[in-house]
Amino acid sequence: MSAASPPARTTPRPRAASRPEGVVTMAHGAGGKASHALVESVFLEAFSNPALAPLNDGAVLDIAGQDVAFTTDSFVVSPIFFPGGSLGDLAVNGTVNDLAACGAQPLALSAGFVIEEGFPVEDLARVVDAMGRSAQRAGVPIVTGDTKVVQRGKGDGCYVNTSGIGLVDRRATGLAASSARPGDAVIISGPIGDHGTAVLLARGELGISADVCSDTAPLNGLVAALLEAVGPAVHVLRDATRGGVATVLNEIAAASGAAIVLDEDDIPVRPQVAGVCELLGIDPLYVACEGRMVVVVARERAGEALRAMRSHPLGAGSAVIGRADADPAGLVLEETSFGGARVVDMLVGDPLPRIC
Amino acid sequence: MSAASPPARTTPRPRAASRPEGVVTMAHGAGGKASHALVESVFLEAFSNPALAPLNDGAVLDIAGQDVAFTTDSFVVSPIFFPGGSLGDLAVNGTVNDLAACGAQPLALSAGFVIEEGFPVEDLARVVDAMGRSAQRAGVPIVTGDTKVVQRGKGDGCYVNTSGIGLVDRRATGLAASSARPGDAVIISGPIGDHGTAVLLARGELGISADVCSDTAPLNGLVAALLEAVGPAVHVLRDATRGGVATVLNEIAAASGAAIVLDEDDIPVRPQVAGVCELLGIDPLYVACEGRMVVVVARERAGEALRAMRSHPLGAGSAVIGRADADPAGLVLEETSFGGARVVDMLVGDPLPRIC
């Protein structure tokens, strides 16, 4: 809808998206098309305000002349413990990374627990201890919290919400999904799909075993190193969680109007992750990472950006995986080894529920 | 444990509280003794940091020379809709009130949803619309959010976490549960127990009907009026939610070392709430409110404080209900109409689960 020319006669303003009928389904939680429809039709109108509108990983507010990022995330991963981490690590790293994607260094986290009656105290302590260790690793205090207990059968062990506030780096003020420009380079900070694959295997339902660990990690240090090296040449930062790299890139393409063109051969995927995904018929581009940042950076600074990222322990596997282009506007393409190209669309359903 | 004189020989530092054995029970979520034991033994050590230590309704951080309050709360009320409000109203007002209890005006809220598969979209929209209206009433934007969906049987319709940040009023910097002083007056901003009673009746399991509505309301305006009138004479602000006024007063008594002495005849309770509580054998002092503030104020300014509160629409029913005293240190007493006195202890079990 154009805001420039008012309609000739008064008509009710159409809703941005039609409200889904019926009931909430697992697909509404997958981060793809159904999630977007739900958010746009149910939440955006009721919560309408300028800070919410950009739908980034967090909101940025002015407090006493300082840009402060504010973000929230609930974590419902099943199982709660998996190779490479736990609910506790995810809950801290996920929110630290949402702040990092706003170009912010974390200042403080909150922690809200919804615990199912009967959850072992020892397991709760393991989750909480992991949160404490992850917070220490990220250099952020957990300053406030809340605990609720629900009856048996009204939860799944433990759900954790973390919210975070952080100070936005002054070199990162133009960051937004809409800031991608044709010509920009697209970088990923490491191999994709480790986290989702590790959780999937930990469920033990597939009869597959493979040596895959979650990539969950706090990326605030990596982002600081990147901004130190190339500052405002970074146009977009997004951590690739639910829906994977493909979903994040679709959001960037849609918000910026640019095309994102990937080169299949350049996308880092561990052989064991590629193997599991092939067995299951899942594209690793859609599998959640919890310690990987998608970086869109001005082409002329891409080399410096890549060097800075590779110099950081959590970015050693960084790679340029594609570029922003003018056409096809708003779409994500993947050019294959055989010289073809396919559209990498936004997910419709949810192949991997409860992954984070 | 005294920090002044080191022990003669090296001994392991004892835990502040022994970690509960076994599993989490509903009592751990009730806000009473079991909740405190869980928080102290599991959370405090893992999250140890100066901002967390006071265990107030929120943490206060310094951002660019400005005191900023940060708080979080998860809402799991059952049923989701009840006379006078819904999960949505609670989620906004509860966090606004936690900020108000820090002497802060709300600046921004986050909203995190954990939705059970099968929850009607129409009900979700009602919850979200209530959040939008409540936020507008409190004058605070909801700036960032998150939605997760869990399988049927792993939730209870919808859980909402809200976190909030707010600017602490410069006249409210000494506020803390530990700041109560012998001689202070204790004021409640209106009749107690309405919210918990309304939710309990809405469950329809008791075969009782009575005309009781939740008191859920945002108290930031009331607190602003109070601070405008008496400023730093306000020593403690606490909203009386889970565990009711009795629990809040016990926390104040324990933190300050003062006694809190209530006069039974001065505690405002609506007749229908008193009636329901009597039928069920519950003391209204332990029943949650969601729109009532406990105020501890210097005796010489109590009259002015009361007038200011009564002049505000949400404090019209304010009353002085007691005083802080030197003895019995750390306890809450209620003096009865018959000239006797009883100890109002911290709750052990949970007579009213899932009330907020």
Side-chain angles (χ1 to χ4, degrees), chain A residues 126-201:
Chain A
R126 278 177 71 192
V127 168
V128 168
D129 289 347
M131 291 180 73
R133 278 196 311 275
S134 293
Q136 194 160 36
R137 184 177 177 198
V140 60
I142 298 171
V143 298
T144 188
D146 175 61
T147 306
K148 292 291 191 301
V149 180
V150 295
Q151 291 92 341
R152 218 178 275 266
K154 303 292 184 185
D156 193 13
C158 184
Y159 300 143
V160 179
N161 174 284
T162 51
S163 300
I165 57 182
L167 298 180
V168 178
D169 192 302
R170 294 192 188 275
R171 297 163 295 194
T173 43
L175 285 180
S178 57
S179 298
R181 294 285 168 268
D184 286 353
V186 178
I187 304 177
I188 183 80
S189 67
I192 67 171
D194 292 6
H195 172 73
T197 306
V199 171
L200 204 63
L201 294 178

Side-chain angles (χ1 to χ4, degrees), chain A residues 25-36 247 286 345-351:
Chain A
T25 65
M26 294 306 293
H28 287 121
K33 281 183 181 174
S35 299
H36 282 77
T247 298
Y286 293 95
D345 204 357
M346 188 80 97
L347 270 188
V348 178
D350 185 3

Side-chain angles (χ1 to χ4, degrees), chain A residues 5 9 11 14 49 64 83 118 132 136 153 157 161 238 250 266 280 283 330 352:
Chain A
S5 52
R9 56 204 172 86
T11 47
N49 66 73
Q136 194 160 36
N161 174 284
R238 292 294 298 272
N250 267 284
D266 295 336
L280 300 174
D283 185 337
L352 302 173

Side-chain angles (χ1 to χ4, degrees), chain B residues 251-273:
Chain B
E251 289 170 356
I252 295 171
S256 65
I260 303 287
V261 184
L262 303 174
D263 188 326
E264 186 184 24
D265 293 339
D266 295 337
I267 300 170
V269 188
R270 293 186 203 282
Q272 58 272 48
V273 170

